[in-house]
Amino acid sequence: MNTELKMALDLLEKEKDISREVILEAIESSLVAACKAHFGKDSAGHERENFRAEVDRETCDFHVYEELAVVEEVENEETEISLVDAKMIDSAYEVGDVVSREVQSKDFGRITTQNARNVILQKIREEERRVLYDQYYAKEKDIVTGVVQRRMGKNISVNIGKVDAILNENEMVKGENLRPTERIKVYILEVRETTRGPRVLVSRTHPELVKRLFESEVTEVRDGVVEIRSIAREAGSRTKIAVWSNDPNVDAVGACVGLNGSRVNSVVNELRGEKIDIINWNENPALMIENALSPAKVVVVLADPEDHTAKVVVPDYQLSLAIGKEGQNARLAARLTGYKIDIKSESQANAIEGFYEGFYDDDEDEEEYDDYGAYDEGYEEGYAEDYAGDYGEEYAAPESDIETEV
């Protein structure tokens, strides 16, 4: 038994996850290549192809053979053997058979042996790169924990285990100061195969990062009981997510918020204080838009599903809250729903002739609208207090004191 080779194969398989069979095949190939180099070309000037190597899978003992065709009269001594000589080896041989004659690999020269060694090492390196690529390709579109290594120009190197990933400048959160040795969660955007091993690109700004973080924190999301149907994110500032429960006994928003906000707070902490609005997803686009504009209270919504546009009226005192600082709340709501939203205050809407046309009939202004309209007559009953009562003080709607151009 070749104990040393067996131990080396076991070590490679354990530490580098390199298949034992791949290395054994590489050894066989290197031995064949060594034979060709040692014996050179045949009398016709052609490279000899009649060598075969075998490595026992159990004992790791290896043997090299040259294969000679049995003929009546030998014309090429490098590839043929006479029937007389063949029968001296074994009387059972007949013309047309192939005689395997062992070659002593110990007779190979130093250069030939070195070349064989290089072939094996090259195969090991290739296999190691392939294994690493497969490992990280399987993690593509998922999140991993990494350790910040160093800056490379405007980019940052992040160690994510066996490789250093690249966090490009445009995938960093604006204003986020990442320091060496700091542990962060990153989203794997892409894994590329290169001659130097896998090149992994990661992100801190991708919306899917938020989704994966909720999957890791919220059991119901991970199990599929609660689905995150839509995400709109402005990294470092605010994110809105729309959730839906497949179980009528499970509150989708409550599951994501957690007891006293414990679950959502874990996500917020990982995102360095980024605000997160969690709303209920609704098939009715008008109701979905109303939810998406929270924490602002909506009076009426009229959505056009064909053009993906919507008119929204909010109380005068809620206009700045509905639009948000620099238009952020309205912008995120539009991304979340996929609708272009036109927000007006009641005063503005009343001043535009025909603005309410299509919202409701004169005889039904106190009733709920049709499939694509929404109306709420109780918006003046302390929306911010109700919101705070449901989800805790941290998630209460802020007072509408933000000055925003309309």
Side-chain angles (χ1 to χ4, degrees):
M1 179 180 291
N2 194 330
T3 309
E4 291 182 358
L5 179 58
K6 191 173 187 301
M7 289 177 63
L9 291 173
D10 291 340
L11 193 64
L12 282 171
E13 195 169 33
K14 181 179 180 181
E15 293 189 354
K16 297 185 180 294
D17 199 26
I18 297 176
S19 169
R20 181 193 195 90
E21 184 63 27
V22 169
I23 303 302
L24 290 173
E25 289 176 1
I27 293 173
E28 290 174 345
S29 298
S30 68
L31 289 171
V32 170
C35 278
K36 292 178 180 180
H38 179 70
F39 290 100
K41 298 180 180 180
D42 60 21
S43 57
H46 301 128
E47 189 175 75
R48 295 179 60 179
E49 299 292 342
N50 61 324
F51 295 108
R52 176 173 57 87
E54 288 183 357
V55 180
D56 190 286
R57 270 44 180 174
E58 295 296 327
T59 64
C60 291
D61 289 331
F62 59 87
H63 302 275
V64 186
Y65 303 95
E66 61 174 342
E67 297 183 329
L68 305 172
V70 179
V71 294
E72 289 286 355
E73 186 176 344
V74 176
E75 295 180 359
N76 188 334
E77 293 183 355
E78 287 88 356
T79 59
E80 297 173 342
I81 185 173
S82 68
L83 179 60
V84 175
D85 291 339
K87 285 191 174 291
M88 292 178 65
I89 299 172
D90 190 328
S91 59
Y93 282 124
E94 298 293 341
V95 174
D97 291 342
V98 176
V99 175
S100 295
R101 187 163 60 190
E102 188 166 1
V103 176
Q104 297 301 318
S105 57
K106 65 181 180 180
D107 295 334
F108 293 167
R110 181 181 61 84
I111 295 178
T112 302
T113 305
Q114 183 69 25
N115 290 339
R117 173 178 175 273
N118 290 340
V119 170
I120 297 171
L121 291 177
Q122 178 64 22
K123 187 63 178 179
I124 290 173
R125 284 192 289 267
E126 290 176 1
E127 187 65 13
E128 188 175 3
R129 287 195 294 267
R130 188 197 64 78
V131 168
L132 277 178
Y133 173 79
D134 290 345
Q135 285 179 354
Y136 285 95
Y137 183 76
K139 296 178 181 179
E140 199 175 63
K141 312 306 180 188
D142 204 350
I143 61 170
V144 294
T145 301
V147 178
V148 178
Q149 296 295 298
R150 63 191 181 280
R151 281 199 169 270
M152 302 184 300
K154 294 183 178 181
N155 303 330
I156 290 178
S157 173
V158 182
N159 182 268
I160 55 173
K162 295 180 180 179
V163 301
D164 286 346
I166 299 172
L167 179 62
N168 290 324
E169 182 186 20
N170 58 351
E171 297 297 339
M172 299 179 198
V173 175
K174 188 177 180 180
E176 188 175 58
N177 184 24
L178 300 176
R179 290 168 291 192
T181 72
E182 193 171 2
R183 297 180 69 85
I184 57 172
K185 298 277 190 183
V186 291
Y187 177 77
I188 298 181
L189 282 175
E190 183 182 4
V191 181
R192 300 174 185 170
E193 191 171 13
T194 70
T195 55
R196 295 186 177 183
R199 178 182 172 87
V200 184
L201 303 178
V202 296
S203 173
R204 286 279 292 172
T205 62
H206 202 284
E208 284 291 311
L209 174 64
V210 179
K211 182 178 180 179
R212 299 300 185 190
L213 287 172
F214 271 102
E215 286 177 356
S216 64
E217 293 292 337
V218 183
T219 306
E220 291 84 352
V221 175
R222 188 164 57 249
D223 294 343
V225 177
V226 173
E227 294 180 33
I228 297 178
R229 292 285 183 90
S230 182
I231 301 179
R233 185 185 184 202
E234 291 191 358
S237 179
R238 196 178 204 95
T239 292
K240 285 180 180 284
I241 67 171
V243 296
W244 171 263
S245 176
N246 293 312
D247 186 340
N249 297 318
V250 176
D251 175 21
V253 174
C256 292
V257 171
L259 183 63
N260 296 325
S262 59
R263 289 175 168 178
V264 72
N265 276 339
S266 296
V267 178
V268 169
N269 291 337
E270 179 58 43
L271 299 177
R272 312 294 175 90
E274 185 175 313
K275 295 180 177 63
I276 298 178
D277 295 336
I278 306 172
I279 68 164
N280 281 307
W281 185 85
N282 199 298
E283 290 183 354
N284 187 316
L287 295 177
M288 179 66 181
I289 290 168
E290 181 181 357
N291 293 341
L293 286 170
S294 66
K297 191 64 174 176
V298 174
V299 180
V300 286
V301 178
L302 182 64
D304 185 341
E306 293 184 0
D307 296 336
H308 278 74
T309 59
K311 295 179 181 179
V312 178
V313 178
V314 299
D316 289 358
Y317 72 93
Q318 291 270 298
L319 181 60
S320 60
L321 181 62
I323 295 175
K325 186 177 181 181
E326 299 179 352
Q328 185 185 67
N329 193 58
R331 189 165 57 247
L332 287 174
R335 291 180 191 170
L336 191 71
T337 59
Y339 276 69
K340 184 178 180 180
I341 303 174
D342 180 17
I343 304 175
K344 302 291 184 185
S345 67
E346 283 188 291
S347 299
Q348 292 171 331
N350 292 333
I352 300 174
E353 186 177 352
F355 184 86
Y356 284 99
E357 185 177 349
F359 273 103
Y360 49 81
D361 297 330
D362 292 339
D363 297 333
E364 298 177 344
D365 59 353
E366 295 290 331
E367 297 180 4
E368 200 172 294
Y369 293 158
D370 58 15
D371 290 344
Y372 300 110
Y375 171 69
D376 190 338
E377 61 178 343
Y379 66 85
E380 295 179 348
E381 299 178 359
Y383 176 77
E385 294 179 4
D386 293 341
Y387 197 84
D390 287 341
Y391 304 116
E393 187 175 350
E394 310 96 304
Y395 307 101
E399 295 182 5
S400 55
D401 57 357
I402 303 173
E403 296 183 2
T404 308
E405 292 185 4
V406 180

PDB file of all heavy atoms in Angstrom, residues 115-129:
ATOM      1  N   ASN A 115       8.191  17.260 -14.392  1.00  0.00           N
ATOM      2  CA  ASN A 115       7.050  17.590 -15.259  1.00  0.00           C
ATOM      3  C   ASN A 115       5.779  16.882 -14.791  1.00  0.00           C
ATOM      4  O   ASN A 115       4.688  17.464 -14.801  1.00  0.00           O
ATOM      5  CB  ASN A 115       7.359  17.214 -16.708  1.00  0.00           C
ATOM      6  CG  ASN A 115       8.405  18.121 -17.336  1.00  0.00           C
ATOM      7  OD1 ASN A 115       8.623  19.238 -16.859  1.00  0.00           O
ATOM      8  ND2 ASN A 115       9.054  17.644 -18.392  1.00  0.00           N
ATOM      9  N   ALA A 116       5.939  15.625 -14.390  1.00  0.00           N
ATOM     10  CA  ALA A 116       4.788  14.869 -13.887  1.00  0.00           C
ATOM     11  C   ALA A 116       4.245  15.516 -12.616  1.00  0.00           C
ATOM     12  O   ALA A 116       3.025  15.624 -12.422  1.00  0.00           O
ATOM     13  CB  ALA A 116       5.193  13.426 -13.614  1.00  0.00           C
ATOM     14  N   ARG A 117       5.158  15.959 -11.770  1.00  0.00           N
ATOM     15  CA  ARG A 117       4.748  16.624 -10.523  1.00  0.00           C
ATOM     16  C   ARG A 117       3.989  17.918 -10.831  1.00  0.00           C
ATOM     17  O   ARG A 117       2.963  18.223 -10.197  1.00  0.00           O
ATOM     18  CB  ARG A 117       5.984  16.926  -9.689  1.00  0.00           C
ATOM     19  CG  ARG A 117       5.743  17.752  -8.440  1.00  0.00           C
ATOM     20  CD  ARG A 117       7.042  17.947  -7.665  1.00  0.00           C
ATOM     21  NE  ARG A 117       6.858  18.832  -6.533  1.00  0.00           N
ATOM     22  CZ  ARG A 117       6.958  20.153  -6.592  1.00  0.00           C
ATOM     23  NH1 ARG A 117       7.250  20.731  -7.760  1.00  0.00           N
ATOM     24  NH2 ARG A 117       6.780  20.888  -5.530  1.00  0.00           N
ATOM     25  N   ASN A 118       4.463  18.667 -11.813  1.00  0.00           N
ATOM     26  CA  ASN A 118       3.807  19.926 -12.175  1.00  0.00           C
ATOM     27  C   ASN A 118       2.403  19.692 -12.722  1.00  0.00           C
ATOM     28  O   ASN A 118       1.484  20.491 -12.477  1.00  0.00           O
ATOM     29  CB  ASN A 118       4.649  20.680 -13.208  1.00  0.00           C
ATOM     30  CG  ASN A 118       5.932  21.230 -12.611  1.00  0.00           C
ATOM     31  OD1 ASN A 118       6.040  21.392 -11.380  1.00  0.00           O
ATOM     32  ND2 ASN A 118       6.919  21.504 -13.454  1.00  0.00           N
ATOM     33  N   VAL A 119       2.243  18.604 -13.468  1.00  0.00           N
ATOM     34  CA  VAL A 119       0.919  18.264 -13.999  1.00  0.00           C
ATOM     35  C   VAL A 119      -0.068  18.015 -12.862  1.00  0.00           C
ATOM     36  O   VAL A 119      -1.213  18.494 -12.875  1.00  0.00           O
ATOM     37  CB  VAL A 119       0.990  17.028 -14.923  1.00  0.00           C
ATOM     38  CG1 VAL A 119      -0.417  16.521 -15.276  1.00  0.00           C
ATOM     39  CG2 VAL A 119       1.761  17.357 -16.186  1.00  0.00           C
ATOM     40  N   ILE A 120       0.375  17.290 -11.844  1.00  0.00           N
ATOM     41  CA  ILE A 120      -0.488  16.991 -10.690  1.00  0.00           C
ATOM     42  C   ILE A 120      -0.828  18.270  -9.921  1.00  0.00           C
ATOM     43  O   ILE A 120      -1.982  18.511  -9.562  1.00  0.00           O
ATOM     44  CB  ILE A 120       0.198  15.968  -9.762  1.00  0.00           C
ATOM     45  CG1 ILE A 120       0.402  14.636 -10.503  1.00  0.00           C
ATOM     46  CG2 ILE A 120      -0.628  15.745  -8.504  1.00  0.00           C
ATOM     47  CD1 ILE A 120       1.253  13.639  -9.745  1.00  0.00           C
ATOM     48  N   LEU A 121       0.186  19.099  -9.668  1.00  0.00           N
ATOM     49  CA  LEU A 121      -0.045  20.344  -8.933  1.00  0.00           C
ATOM     50  C   LEU A 121      -0.990  21.274  -9.690  1.00  0.00           C
ATOM     51  O   LEU A 121      -1.850  21.932  -9.079  1.00  0.00           O
ATOM     52  CB  LEU A 121       1.290  21.053  -8.659  1.00  0.00           C
ATOM     53  CG  LEU A 121       2.222  20.366  -7.665  1.00  0.00           C
ATOM     54  CD1 LEU A 121       3.536  21.132  -7.548  1.00  0.00           C
ATOM     55  CD2 LEU A 121       1.563  20.256  -6.293  1.00  0.00           C
ATOM     56  N   GLN A 122      -0.828  21.342 -11.001  1.00  0.00           N
ATOM     57  CA  GLN A 122      -1.702  22.182 -11.814  1.00  0.00           C
ATOM     58  C   GLN A 122      -3.146  21.706 -11.731  1.00  0.00           C
ATOM     59  O   GLN A 122      -4.075  22.509 -11.616  1.00  0.00           O
ATOM     60  CB  GLN A 122      -1.230  22.178 -13.271  1.00  0.00           C
ATOM     61  CG  GLN A 122      -2.086  22.991 -14.234  1.00  0.00           C
ATOM     62  CD  GLN A 122      -2.082  24.468 -13.913  1.00  0.00           C
ATOM     63  OE1 GLN A 122      -1.164  24.969 -13.265  1.00  0.00           O
ATOM     64  NE2 GLN A 122      -3.114  25.163 -14.356  1.00  0.00           N
ATOM     65  N   LYS A 123      -3.345  20.405 -11.765  1.00  0.00           N
ATOM     66  CA  LYS A 123      -4.691  19.847 -11.658  1.00  0.00           C
ATOM     67  C   LYS A 123      -5.296  20.133 -10.289  1.00  0.00           C
ATOM     68  O   LYS A 123      -6.495  20.446 -10.179  1.00  0.00           O
ATOM     69  CB  LYS A 123      -4.641  18.335 -11.911  1.00  0.00           C
ATOM     70  CG  LYS A 123      -5.997  17.681 -11.980  1.00  0.00           C
ATOM     71  CD  LYS A 123      -6.807  18.216 -13.144  1.00  0.00           C
ATOM     72  CE  LYS A 123      -8.160  17.537 -13.245  1.00  0.00           C
ATOM     73  NZ  LYS A 123      -8.971  18.069 -14.366  1.00  0.00           N
ATOM     74  N   ILE A 124      -4.463  20.051  -9.248  1.00  0.00           N
ATOM     75  CA  ILE A 124      -4.948  20.342  -7.895  1.00  0.00           C
ATOM     76  C   ILE A 124      -5.389  21.799  -7.805  1.00  0.00           C
ATOM     77  O   ILE A 124      -6.442  22.115  -7.237  1.00  0.00           O
ATOM     78  CB  ILE A 124      -3.854  20.036  -6.846  1.00  0.00           C
ATOM     79  CG1 ILE A 124      -3.630  18.521  -6.750  1.00  0.00           C
ATOM     80  CG2 ILE A 124      -4.232  20.601  -5.480  1.00  0.00           C
ATOM     81  CD1 ILE A 124      -2.464  18.135  -5.862  1.00  0.00           C
ATOM     82  N   ARG A 125      -4.594  22.709  -8.370  1.00  0.00           N
ATOM     83  CA  ARG A 125      -4.948  24.129  -8.336  1.00  0.00           C
ATOM     84  C   ARG A 125      -6.239  24.395  -9.118  1.00  0.00           C
ATOM     85  O   ARG A 125      -7.109  25.157  -8.666  1.00  0.00           O
ATOM     86  CB  ARG A 125      -3.805  24.967  -8.900  1.00  0.00           C
ATOM     87  CG  ARG A 125      -2.631  25.124  -7.948  1.00  0.00           C
ATOM     88  CD  ARG A 125      -1.670  26.195  -8.440  1.00  0.00           C
ATOM     89  NE  ARG A 125      -0.942  25.742  -9.621  1.00  0.00           N
ATOM     90  CZ  ARG A 125       0.246  25.159  -9.593  1.00  0.00           C
ATOM     91  NH1 ARG A 125       0.836  24.942  -8.417  1.00  0.00           N
ATOM     92  NH2 ARG A 125       0.839  24.788 -10.711  1.00  0.00           N
ATOM     93  N   GLU A 126      -6.372  23.767 -10.283  1.00  0.00           N
ATOM     94  CA  GLU A 126      -7.588  23.937 -11.082  1.00  0.00           C
ATOM     95  C   GLU A 126      -8.814  23.423 -10.337  1.00  0.00           C
ATOM     96  O   GLU A 126      -9.873  24.059 -10.338  1.00  0.00           O
ATOM     97  CB  GLU A 126      -7.450  23.194 -12.414  1.00  0.00           C
ATOM     98  CG  GLU A 126      -6.453  23.829 -13.379  1.00  0.00           C
ATOM     99  CD  GLU A 126      -6.279  22.996 -14.637  1.00  0.00           C
ATOM    100  OE1 GLU A 126      -6.950  21.941 -14.734  1.00  0.00           O
ATOM    101  OE2 GLU A 126      -5.490  23.403 -15.513  1.00  0.00           O
ATOM    102  N   GLU A 127      -8.652  22.269  -9.709  1.00  0.00           N
ATOM    103  CA  GLU A 127      -9.770  21.683  -8.973  1.00  0.00           C
ATOM    104  C   GLU A 127     -10.134  22.531  -7.758  1.00  0.00           C
ATOM    105  O   GLU A 127     -11.308  22.688  -7.419  1.00  0.00           O
ATOM    106  CB  GLU A 127      -9.415  20.256  -8.549  1.00  0.00           C
ATOM    107  CG  GLU A 127     -10.560  19.479  -7.915  1.00  0.00           C
ATOM    108  CD  GLU A 127     -11.709  19.224  -8.874  1.00  0.00           C
ATOM    109  OE1 GLU A 127     -11.535  19.416 -10.092  1.00  0.00           O
ATOM    110  OE2 GLU A 127     -12.789  18.832  -8.388  1.00  0.00           O
ATOM    111  N   GLU A 128      -9.123  23.090  -7.108  1.00  0.00           N
ATOM    112  CA  GLU A 128      -9.371  23.944  -5.946  1.00  0.00           C
ATOM    113  C   GLU A 128     -10.160  25.187  -6.364  1.00  0.00           C
ATOM    114  O   GLU A 128     -11.094  25.603  -5.674  1.00  0.00           O
ATOM    115  CB  GLU A 128      -8.039  24.357  -5.313  1.00  0.00           C
ATOM    116  CG  GLU A 128      -8.186  25.078  -3.984  1.00  0.00           C
ATOM    117  CD  GLU A 128      -6.848  25.356  -3.333  1.00  0.00           C
ATOM    118  OE1 GLU A 128      -5.810  25.044  -3.938  1.00  0.00           O
ATOM    119  OE2 GLU A 128      -6.837  25.899  -2.213  1.00  0.00           O
ATOM    120  N   ARG A 129      -9.778  25.779  -7.510  1.00  0.00           N
ATOM    121  CA  ARG A 129     -10.514  26.946  -8.000  1.00  0.00           C
ATOM    122  C   ARG A 129     -11.944  26.573  -8.373  1.00  0.00           C
ATOM    123  O   ARG A 129     -12.889  27.324  -8.104  1.00  0.00           O
ATOM    124  CB  ARG A 129      -9.799  27.543  -9.221  1.00  0.00           C
ATOM    125  CG  ARG A 129      -8.523  28.281  -8.874  1.00  0.00           C
ATOM    126  CD  ARG A 129      -8.062  29.146 -10.035  1.00  0.00           C
ATOM    127  NE  ARG A 129      -7.659  28.353 -11.190  1.00  0.00           N
ATOM    128  CZ  ARG A 129      -6.422  27.967 -11.428  1.00  0.00           C
ATOM    129  NH1 ARG A 129      -5.454  28.293 -10.583  1.00  0.00           N
ATOM    130  NH2 ARG A 129      -6.138  27.260 -12.508  1.00  0.00           N
TER     131      ARG A 129
END
